[in-house]
Amino acid sequence: MTVILELEHVVKRFGGLVATNDMSFEVAKGESVGLIGPNGAGKTTIFSLIMGEHKADSGSIRLHGEELTKLATHKRIRRGVARTYQVPRPFADMDVLANIEVGLMPDSIMAMIFTAPADEEARAIARSVGLNDADLHRDPAELSMGDLRKLELARTLATKPEVMLLDEVFAGLTAGEIEQISGLLNEKRQEGMTYVIVSHDLRSLEPLIDRAIAMTQGTFVCQGDYATVMSDEAVRMAYLGH
Amino acid sequence: MSTQITWKHLALWALFLGGMALLPMLVGKGTLRTIIFANYLAIFAMSWDVLSGRTGYISFGHPFLIGIGAYTTAILSYRFDVPVGISIPVAVIVTMAAGTLFFLPALRIKGTYFALVTLAFMELMYQLVQVIRPDLTGGTRGISGVQTLTRGAVNGYYLSLALMGVIAISLWAMMKTRLGTALSAIGMNEEAVEGSGLNTTKLKLFAFMVGAGVAGIGGAFYVHYLGSIAPRALFDINFLFTIIVAALIGGASTIIGPMAGAFFLTFLLEYLRPFLPGAERYFIYGSIALILYMYEPKGLYEILRKARERLTGANA
Amino acid sequence: MSQILIQGLLLSGLYALIAIGFTLIFSVGRVLNLAYGAYLMLGGYAYFWVVQTMHMPKLLGILVAIGVGVLAGLLKHRLIVKPLKSDPVAVEIATLILAVVIQAGVVLVFNDSAKIMHPIVNGVWRVGGATVTYNILTATIASWVILIGLYYFVRKTHVGRAISAVSMDVKGAAISGINPDRINMITWGLSGALGAIAGVFFASYTQLSPSMWVAPLIIAVAVVIVGGIGSIIGTLIVAHIIGFMEIISTTLVAAELRGVFTMLLIIVVLVMMPKGLFGRGEL
Amino acid sequence: MTRILTKGLCSAAMAGLLSAGAATAEVKVGFIGSLSSDTGRSTLRGAQIAIDELNANGGVMGGQQITLIEADTGEDVTEGIKAYEYLAETAEVDFIISGSIDDVSLGWLPRMQEYQIPTLDTWTSYIGIIDMVVEDPEGMAPYFMNIASDEALATLYINFGADVLKAKMGWDSVVILAEDTAFGQAITGLVTEALAPVAGIEVKDTIIYDIGTVDFAPIFSKAQATGADFIYQVSSVNSQVISSQYVKLQVPMAMTGVNVSALGMEYWEDTGGAGGGISTLSPIPSVGFKLDPASQAFVDTYQAKYDTRPVIPHFNGFNAYHGLKQAMAAADEAGGFKDAMAWSKAMEKQDLILEMDGKMWLRYGFWGADEVEEVTQRTYPHNARFDLTSPYEDAQPSMVVIQWTEDGDVGVVYPPEYATMEFSVPSWVK
């Protein structure tokens, strides 16, 4: 088992608030890990720190053993990690296809000018997440929440990540849509994708993950398989209040 | 969005520029003079649009860039007898350097604050031009008698048309590429562009350099058309107002929009002149701009597009 | 030294008065009202018309100025801010256009030559090597009274607390039963009134002219930028920083660099501390 | 607004009808300047009255009627260029009369050089423009400025310094308060280099202030701290701010100098009386200036015709009135305006002497290209003729010093030949 993503003693403070307090964990290649904890436990902050949207105050974040903390967000993406957001925020004035195309762009101005848009590849990705061809030329505003989540996944997949950080992928979805997205995630997993998933919907989360990491108030509580973690005294205290 | 450039597009451009080229045979010199101003305003509005309309970093200090280009070539050619063939390229380079200076705050601030800091840049420049080395800048009175490149309305018209045409087509072609899409994407959601693995700093810097370069070219040729330069003519809220309003009334984030806006505003102001020679003109002009902007913040381009949609929709 | 202190306090008081209405809108509505300077202009001209053209009492002049300011604020909210759904950039641009329109309107009605107002209160007071006109003293005292009044209004009254709540968190305020739209409207009216009063004093300090809206706008912008999204106290402090910087640079450095220092301060603070000296505080 | 709009549209429509009716040959005069400033209106109305009189007398150049076309600059430099182009290319005027301020004139001057349309400036006194005539006599041939240029203005002021400030008031030292503009720098230079040594007045300090200054209290404090006997102010932009604060603060120090806002009759009204005691140099004919019968007749006509401000035309109104007639006379001689060189030659020769009580009072003429003025030792081609030495027999002085009293009177205090009252200090100055 090769470790792909590791966090070591990561600390992040916002003013007086310690959002991430000495967090350490590892994720193996092909593994799917659930990050659980109550509201405000600092799960999303962990994602932001991995992506470099916030800079960690101390500690180390490594991908394939390479230190990420000094890199800008777009470089981390190129290294193979990408995330989705709790509230999808697509490019509002671009159609679905163009939205996905942004993720496929080369990061060089010359190349951007002189290469044609990779429409075919974008179309293939769209199909792979289950978006209809009819939707490709719609504006995001016309999409349902489920299709917006799919677009979010497609935009993320376009950057060809090895590790995907999924933030509340099931929020606002119908049961049918949840099933569809779960199926999709499992499919990608067969192809070797690694996931770190945050979700309030523990029921839907459970079948998707190999292992759970529990945290509260920015601090690591325990980890193990889902059942073990959920039966942990401290987790029950923090999460369920009893 | 990223539709390919087709022969139809090129034919439309050729038709438009060809039609413009025939104008001197059809209209009087007075009208040509008006169009020259419209052409330069279109250049400034397009330049503003590359920098602000696309990326969403609203610049309230665009006259700062134009003024740097204009002053550089004016000072070089008037005070030091540098040939225009050298002074204009130097002016463009200096303006692009100033564009990077403009860019520094954009690394840390955006939105409202960015708009304000650029406004401060312009005001600072207005103050400095008068204070520092007035023997070079001419202080508050500026410089009169700067070498003009053309004489007569027709020549001035063709020069401005050629400049505007080249800049418009280049920008249009550039914005048709993935780069244009990426820049517009920054305006919609900068984090998501960064999250797509693109270096937004680099993209913004490029947009700023192109915007500043165009402003520099426009400013330099403009001063060699006017033949005079004064701080009050450049670093002025009214000038800023005209540029931004031209870009927005026409339709930001398009090329045809700022051009249409520039023509609309210039002609509006000129056609009001015989009826309302005094301050009423600015009142009406500003009110029309305000009402249009309130009615459709996306501009004439959007109004026409919607109208066309409605028409074709009704037909279908 | 005492002279710098006295003159600094007087000028800063005026600057605080100029900036407070602008801060209020920025704090509550999250938009920059670039036509704010036009409130000052309208207030000043309204006062001038009542007192110096119609020869009516000064108090009436001030009341008319306030009325015009409130009306301008309410209209602006109703006709510009609401239709644009408080989109900050759109409001900035629309208010910039509006300011230019108002400027043309003032030229039409009053013509473009500058006018000087009578002192609101006559006489001078010589103290500590400085000469203080009662007019400026009145402006400063009025400024302090208004600021303290506003402070207590925001802290102690129902409407004031609602304004403060909206300034902190629009959604949260809405959940707790406050109508943000109504609060916004009240704030725009209040800001118009404050701007108009500031305009009367500013104009009695300097002059009335159709382009006079730019200078106070820049002062207000400087205060907001340097202070951060403003609190009343923050506005007061920053107004004093800018006022004193101006008096000191005028007295001890070079009077012609007055504006340059202010612009540099804006740029440096924005680039170094984008959130301003006091960051984002409650009103 | 509607009223103004309708009025504007109506008058435009009427103008259209009239011009359509009079399809015969006509002379078109363009006005360039601000239609909403007292300055611009002075020139415009001066020109209009001259045109009315000429038309009533059967027109010019063999009976052609004159029409006046207005182009507003809004005192904006770029608008000024557009306005000039409009007059030249759309309205196709024969002659342009300008009430433009310095930078606006400088803005459209390259257009004048290109179009070669005979042009008369009545307000700007910038010596740099006369320098352009010196350097490029051919390109600038159609340009005339019938106000004494600022170098000449300042030169006479030195005599005022010696005769009045030093000799009569007994002042030995001065502090200069100058605005931070090209105008401020030019005048400051002249005062420091000429006033001081010639009149024997020591310059203690020069304080340059920003034109956006809100509060002049620290500046006045600084001036007082120099211990100078009086303040010399140089102010052309927002001048009423500094003078009204001087009055409001009752600065216990005499102040004189250049204050452009005090040049018009509306000064008292605009400052609400907060302008008493202020003295400034003024081009001629200033407010408070005794007028010869011809100029007085012009003012009477003006006041009968116009009831809005300015109540009395500024100096440039007189310049426009007399200057326009001279331009038409020159056109009569030169066979029209089309041949700009011929017109220019004829214009150079125009010489109008207005007498008062049997002696020369005002003279509207121009310096020849080779005439060297004795005091300043330079030429002033196409600039209004002036005389810098008493008793002013060749022409009127380049300027006079006027003063506003604390009860709202205004009069000329220098030179003695033209004075109507005595120079005095405000009551609060000991």
Side-chain angles (χ1 to χ4, degrees):
Chain A
M1 182 182 97
T2 47
V3 171
I4 185 162
L5 176 70
E6 32 186 339
L7 274 74
E8 213 171 76
H9 305 299
V10 175
V11 177
K12 175 69 189 175
R13 290 184 201 86
F14 291 112
L17 179 84
V18 185
T20 308
N21 185 7
D22 196 27
M23 278 295 284
S24 304
F25 64 83
E26 292 177 349
V27 180
K29 184 154 177 54
E31 195 184 14
S32 176
V33 174
L35 200 54
I36 61 175
N39 257 339
K43 297 164 298 195
T44 300
T45 307
I46 299 270
F47 281 10
S48 304
L49 292 172
I50 297 173
M51 295 314 301
E53 292 154 351
H54 293 304
K55 298 268 176 270
D57 293 323
S58 65
S60 158
I61 301 168
R62 289 188 295 272
L63 188 74
H64 287 305
E66 184 191 6
E67 184 61 51
L68 291 184
T69 40
K70 295 278 179 289
L71 296 181
T73 302
H74 68 273
K75 292 209 171 116
R76 301 186 194 203
I77 307 267
R78 297 283 163 193
R79 299 294 190 277
V81 54
R83 72 169 283 191
T84 65
Y85 292 83
Q86 209 166 337
V87 182
R89 273 192 58 205
F91 305 115
D93 294 338
M94 291 183 186
D95 65 17
V96 168
L97 198 66
N99 259 281
I100 301 172
E101 220 279 310
V102 174
L104 291 168
M105 284 189 189
D107 188 22
S108 137
I109 294 202
M110 282 302 132
M112 278 185 188
I113 296 177
F114 293 109
T115 58
D119 284 351
E120 272 321 303
E121 199 180 343
R123 207 164 273 135
I125 293 173
R127 286 196 194 105
S128 82
V129 299
L131 284 165
N132 295 322
D133 279 7
D135 292 333
L136 293 186
H137 293 290
R138 291 229 169 103
D139 276 355
E142 304 166 37
L143 298 183
S144 69
M145 195 58 187
D147 284 345
L148 274 178
R149 291 271 176 225
K150 288 179 195 163
L151 173 57
E152 180 93 348
L153 280 175
R155 285 205 304 113
T156 315
L157 282 169
T159 65
K160 304 186 181 62
E162 291 176 69
V163 181
M164 283 176 85
L165 315 176
L166 306 174
D167 198 353
E168 298 290 357
V169 268
F170 302 124
L173 298 191
T174 63
E177 284 170 335
I178 290 179
E179 199 175 318
Q180 213 184 353
I181 299 264
S182 294
L184 213 118
L185 292 177
N186 268 323
E187 223 171 89
K188 296 281 166 204
R189 218 181 136 196
Q190 305 304 318
E191 294 161 21
M193 185 66 77
T194 309
Y195 292 120
V196 180
I197 310 176
V198 164
S199 176
H200 272 99
D201 186 351
L202 297 176
R203 197 168 315 217
S204 309
L205 181 65
E206 186 185 353
L208 275 179
I209 58 175
D210 306 318
R211 181 162 59 103
I213 298 171
M215 61 186 293
T216 181
Q217 293 173 344
T219 315
F220 175 85
V221 179
C222 74
Q223 63 164 316
D225 62 50
Y226 182 75
T228 322
V229 169
M230 285 319 282
S231 56
D232 185 277
E233 198 61 26
V235 173
R236 297 190 75 84
M237 270 308 290
Y239 217 135
L240 308 166
H242 60 80
Chain B
M1 190 75 200
S2 51
T3 39
Q4 294 298 295
I5 298 174
T6 62
W7 286 111
K8 201 180 111 193
H9 288 128
L10 295 179
L12 281 174
W13 275 114
L15 199 67
F16 168 67
L17 291 175
M20 292 282 284
L22 292 177
L23 268 188
M25 290 160 209
L26 304 172
V27 301
K29 285 182 179 161
T31 314
L32 284 187
R33 289 286 184 183
T34 306
I35 304 179
I36 295 175
F37 276 101
N39 284 341
Y40 281 106
L41 182 57
I43 294 175
F44 300 143
M46 287 189 284
S47 147
W48 184 86
D49 190 59
V50 172
L51 198 150
S52 300
R54 304 263 164 188
T55 64
Y57 280 79
I58 300 297
S59 154
F60 274 177
H62 221 63
F64 166 83
L65 296 173
I66 296 165
I68 293 215
Y71 261 103
T72 308
T73 182
I75 290 173
L76 285 178
S77 64
Y78 185 79
R79 305 271 181 215
F80 300 104
D81 294 318
V82 175
V84 178
I86 296 172
S87 70
I88 292 179
V90 170
V92 175
I93 292 166
V94 171
T95 314
M96 287 171 81
T100 27
L101 193 72
F102 231 47
F103 177 69
L104 291 178
L107 288 174
R108 302 195 53 164
I109 47 180
K110 53 167 83 170
T112 320
Y113 282 111
F114 180 74
L116 290 181
V117 82
T118 52
L119 188 65
F121 263 117
M122 182 181 86
E123 281 295 321
L124 182 68
M125 198 65 199
Y126 178 66
Q127 311 246 2
L128 288 180
V129 162
Q130 303 175 29
V131 182
I132 293 177
R133 297 301 301 270
D135 55 324
L136 291 184
T137 62
T140 33
R141 288 192 181 112
I143 303 170
S144 185
V146 178
Q147 184 188 346
T148 50
L149 296 174
T150 54
R151 279 185 94 80
V154 177
N155 295 331
Y157 172 74
Y158 278 121
L159 179 65
S160 68
L161 178 66
L163 263 184
M164 189 208 51
V166 168
I167 289 173
I169 292 181
S170 316
L171 288 179
W172 172 79
M174 191 186 282
M175 291 311 157
K176 278 280 172 198
T177 67
R178 301 170 110 180
L179 178 71
T181 314
L183 291 180
S184 301
I186 290 183
M188 296 172 212
N189 183 353
E190 187 172 340
E191 290 77 22
V193 177
E194 183 81 18
S196 301
L198 301 180
N199 185 347
T200 49
T201 309
K202 193 165 74 184
L203 284 168
K204 282 186 290 182
L205 179 62
F206 184 79
F208 276 55
M209 298 286 271
V210 172
V214 171
I217 296 171
F221 278 94
Y222 188 54
V223 74
H224 285 297
Y225 167 70
L226 294 179
S228 60
I229 186 168
R232 234 160 41 86
L234 284 172
F235 307 114
D236 184 51
I237 290 210
N238 281 321
F239 188 42
L240 163 74
F241 161 86
T242 320
I243 296 169
I244 296 188
V245 171
L248 290 172
I249 282 219
S253 232
T254 62
I255 295 296
I256 212 81
M259 277 166 57
F263 275 78
F264 178 76
L265 282 188
T266 312
F267 274 87
L268 179 63
L269 202 55
E270 278 312 304
Y271 278 116
L272 286 173
R273 190 192 288 281
F275 306 105
L276 306 165
E280 301 90 346
R281 204 156 55 103
Y282 301 97
F283 188 79
I284 302 282
Y285 165 81
S287 304
I288 291 177
L290 183 61
I291 292 166
L292 255 178
Y293 183 72
M294 293 301 300
Y295 174 70
E296 177 54 75
K298 285 184 178 166
L300 292 170
Y301 185 84
E302 188 70 11
I303 295 177
L304 293 178
R305 201 185 60 81
K306 278 184 185 161
R308 201 182 66 177
E309 233 166 48
R310 208 165 299 148
L311 281 179
T312 50
N315 290 345
Chain C
M1 221 46 225
S2 62
Q3 168 217 325
I4 290 180
L5 196 67
I6 292 166
Q7 288 168 344
L9 281 174
L10 294 173
L11 188 66
S12 307
L14 179 71
Y15 280 6
L17 186 59
I18 289 174
I20 190 66
F22 188 71
T23 312
L24 203 60
I25 291 297
F26 194 30
S27 190
V28 173
R30 288 283 180 279
V31 292
L32 283 180
N33 173 14
L34 292 185
Y36 178 73
Y39 291 150
L40 278 88
M41 183 156 75
L42 290 175
Y45 272 98
Y47 176 88
F48 179 86
W49 184 78
V50 170
V51 176
Q52 264 161 272
T53 308
M54 304 310 290
H55 303 290
M56 290 200 269
K58 287 171 181 171
L59 189 65
L60 185 69
I62 292 177
L63 289 177
V64 170
I66 293 174
V68 168
V70 170
L71 192 68
L74 293 179
L75 285 178
K76 222 183 277 184
H77 178 249
R78 171 63 57 190
L79 299 178
I80 290 186
V81 182
K82 262 188 82 170
L84 292 176
K85 302 189 182 68
S86 297
D87 171 4
V89 171
V91 170
E92 254 172 58
I93 287 160
T95 50
L96 175 72
I97 305 177
L98 181 68
V100 175
V101 173
I102 293 179
Q103 174 176 354
V106 168
V107 173
L108 276 182
V109 180
F110 292 95
N111 99 359
D112 77 351
S113 57
K115 293 168 176 53
I116 296 290
M117 279 168 33
H118 290 297
I120 297 166
V121 183
N122 281 304
V124 293
W125 180 33
R126 296 187 202 280
V127 55
T131 309
V132 177
T133 63
Y134 287 131
N135 190 46
I136 288 170
L137 198 61
T138 312
T140 309
I141 292 170
S143 164
W144 279 91
V145 168
I146 289 168
L147 285 170
I148 292 169
L150 195 65
Y151 184 81
Y152 279 99
F153 170 74
V154 167
R155 287 283 129 78
K156 303 285 177 206
T157 66
H158 182 70
V159 178
R161 286 207 200 115
I163 289 178
S164 181
V166 174
S167 84
M168 279 182 277
D169 179 2
V170 180
K171 279 194 192 123
I175 289 166
S176 41
I178 296 169
N179 177 355
D181 190 49
R182 219 179 116 243
I183 293 301
N184 246 313
M185 199 182 76
I186 293 173
T187 314
W188 278 86
L190 193 60
S191 158
L194 291 169
I197 299 175
V200 173
F201 283 110
F202 180 74
S204 76
Y205 226 82
T206 57
Q207 62 174 348
L208 283 170
S209 81
S211 55
M212 67 176 269
W213 60 277
V214 180
L217 178 67
I218 286 172
I219 294 166
V221 161
V223 170
V224 164
I225 289 183
V226 176
I229 296 182
S231 57
I232 295 171
I233 305 292
T235 301
L236 200 57
I237 296 171
V238 176
H240 281 76
I241 294 177
I242 292 176
F244 270 95
M245 193 178 76
E246 200 169 310
I247 297 288
I248 291 170
S249 65
T250 303
T251 313
L252 303 177
V253 190
E256 72 262 38
L257 295 178
R258 184 197 73 94
V260 175
F261 276 114
T262 312
M263 289 307 133
L264 280 179
L265 183 74
I266 293 183
I267 293 172
V268 168
V269 167
L270 262 186
V271 175
M272 308 295 289
M273 311 177 67
K275 288 189 174 150
L277 296 181
F278 300 99
R280 158 115 176 71
E282 65 178 309
L283 190 65
Chain D
M1 190 57 228
T2 349
R3 189 184 58 80
I4 296 167
L5 185 59
T6 336
K7 205 175 100 190
L9 286 170
C10 284
S11 62
M14 295 234 311
L17 283 176
L18 287 175
S19 62
T24 50
E26 53 168 15
V27 176
K28 286 199 254 182
V29 171
F31 160 80
I32 185 167
S34 164
L35 291 177
S36 28
S37 73
D38 294 345
T39 303
R41 286 187 196 173
S42 293
T43 294
L44 175 65
R45 293 170 176 184
Q48 184 66 60
I49 290 171
I51 289 170
D52 291 349
E53 291 178 7
L54 290 170
N55 282 346
N57 287 336
V60 291
M61 287 186 279
Q64 297 184 35
Q65 292 285 300
I66 310 169
T67 52
L68 182 64
I69 294 143
E70 303 167 8
D72 184 32
T73 61
E75 297 198 343
D76 179 280
V77 184
T78 314
E79 282 305 311
I81 296 171
K82 289 188 194 168
Y84 203 97
E85 289 177 349
Y86 167 78
L87 291 176
E89 310 246 32
T90 305
E92 296 180 328
V93 298
D94 301 292
F95 167 71
I96 291 177
I97 190 149
S98 153
S100 307
I101 54 178
D102 293 5
D103 54 355
V104 175
S105 276
L106 284 166
W108 52 249
L109 266 171
R111 289 293 175 276
M112 192 239 53
Q113 289 171 295
E114 185 176 333
Y115 297 125
Q116 295 284 307
I117 296 177
T119 301
L120 177 67
D121 239 333
T122 60
W123 195 91
T124 178
S125 61
Y126 181 41
I127 185 73
I129 302 180
I130 298 303
D131 289 337
M132 287 166 78
V133 182
V134 174
E135 283 158 26
D136 179 14
E138 211 156 292
M140 292 290 285
Y143 179 87
F144 287 82
M145 178 197 283
N146 72 351
I147 164 182
S149 53
D150 41 15
E151 193 133 315
L153 299 181
T155 306
L156 204 103
Y157 206 87
I158 294 158
N159 300 343
F160 172 65
D163 295 352
V164 177
L165 303 179
K166 171 90 179 181
K168 182 160 167 275
M169 308 306 289
W171 294 335
D172 297 318
S173 59
V174 62
V175 51
I176 302 172
L177 284 193
E179 68 183 9
D180 189 13
T181 62
F183 178 76
Q185 277 155 1
I187 303 286
T188 304
L190 285 164
V191 173
T192 335
E193 282 154 32
L195 174 65
V198 173
I201 295 174
E202 179 200 354
V203 178
K204 289 260 192 188
D205 196 5
T206 301
I207 302 169
I208 314 276
Y209 67 85
D210 173 25
I211 49 174
T213 300
V214 172
D215 183 10
F216 281 92
I219 291 172
F220 284 124
S221 300
K222 209 172 164 180
Q224 280 172 257
T226 62
D229 289 329
F230 71 105
I231 298 171
Y232 189 98
Q233 66 154 332
V234 184
S235 174
S236 68
V237 183
N238 299 337
S239 330
Q240 48 285 74
V241 178
I242 181 168
S243 58
S244 68
Q245 288 198 14
Y246 169 78
V247 175
K248 285 177 187 168
L249 283 165
Q250 308 223 319
V251 178
M253 216 177 158
M255 182 166 90
T256 180
V258 189
N259 186 317
V260 171
S261 69
L263 299 184
M265 214 56 202
E266 269 70 21
Y267 178 64
W268 195 255
E269 183 195 323
D270 285 345
T271 57
I278 295 296
S279 53
T280 174
L281 64 76
S282 169
I284 291 173
S286 68
V287 288
F289 188 85
K290 269 189 287 182
L291 292 173
D292 58 275
S295 303
Q296 186 58 52
F298 162 63
V299 172
D300 293 342
T301 316
Y302 179 99
Q303 288 181 326
K305 188 170 161 81
Y306 301 106
D307 58 359
T308 54
R309 54 185 296 161
V311 286
I312 290 176
H314 292 198
F315 59 88
N316 51 309
F318 296 85
N319 295 349
Y321 173 75
H322 296 303
L324 188 123
K325 288 187 169 177
Q326 291 186 308
M328 292 300 156
D332 261 330
E333 288 166 34
F337 292 98
K338 290 287 173 264
D339 183 350
M341 285 311 278
W343 176 83
S344 177
K345 288 270 168 284
M347 188 69 173
E348 280 170 10
K349 288 197 233 65
Q350 294 301 313
D351 197 0
L352 171 70
I353 292 172
L354 300 167
E355 291 190 344
M356 174 109 128
D357 305 329
K359 61 179 188 171
M360 204 278 318
W361 190 247
L362 280 177
R363 181 173 177 186
Y364 278 93
F366 296 97
W367 289 94
D370 306 318
E371 272 180 288
V372 175
E373 195 282 322
E374 283 169 21
V375 177
T376 53
Q377 283 298 313
R378 59 160 290 166
T379 60
Y380 294 89
H382 291 197
N383 191 196
R385 200 166 188 94
F386 50 81
D387 189 349
L388 293 179
T389 40
S390 179
Y392 312 108
E393 282 168 329
D394 183 44
Q396 72 275 29
S398 58
M399 51 125 245
V400 291
V401 179
I402 57 167
Q403 185 166 33
W404 288 86
T405 66
E406 283 164 75
D407 46 15
D409 284 336
V410 60
V412 175
V413 295
Y414 188 86
E417 290 85 344
Y418 288 82
T420 57
M421 56 191 242
E422 289 260 305
F423 178 72
S424 60
V425 294
S427 56
W428 60 86
V429 178
K430 51 205 176 302

